[in-house]
Amino acid sequence: ALNSSDFSSRITENSTQLNIEMLPQQKPLKQFFKLIEVTIEKSDYSATKIKMNETSGDVTILTFSNKQLNGVVEDSVFTLQ
């Protein structure tokens, strides 16, 4: 169901997490990424990790911890000075 013209996808899961493997199908993403993996926490359906395997052999991992979902953010945070 996640397949699109941009990615083919495969979902695996365990008791606490979903793992989505996304294979780029078209340029320009296919030029830069071999595989993108997203780990989702089942308890709140938020991402805990995004792993990007690049065609160059580099790997970029983004890990999310101490998440606060839908927290209040003051408008002043977005004010340019």
Side-chain angles (χ1 to χ4, degrees):
L2 293 177
N3 292 339
S4 72
S5 61
D6 295 321
F7 295 96
S8 67
S9 303
R10 184 173 76 109
I11 300 174
T12 56
E13 64 181 294
N14 62 32
S15 62
T16 60
Q17 296 178 326
L18 298 168
N19 189 53
I20 304 168
E21 295 180 350
M22 301 165 46
L23 290 163
Q25 298 299 303
Q26 297 188 25
K27 291 181 180 181
L29 290 174
K30 195 172 184 176
Q31 290 177 284
F32 297 104
F33 299 107
K34 287 191 275 188
L35 175 68
I36 299 171
E37 298 174 74
V38 181
T39 303
I40 304 289
E41 207 52 56
K42 282 184 172 180
S43 63
D44 61 9
Y45 293 100
S46 66
T48 56
K49 182 168 72 170
I50 300 172
K51 181 178 178 182
M52 297 172 282
N53 298 281
E54 301 173 27
T55 55
S56 66
D58 289 343
V59 176
T60 300
I61 299 173
L62 305 171
T63 303
F64 305 98
S65 61
N66 301 319
K67 298 175 286 184
Q68 296 179 1
L69 302 178
N70 298 317
V72 176
V73 179
E74 297 295 326
D75 288 342
S76 62
V77 170
F78 301 100
T79 303
L80 296 176
Q81 298 180 10

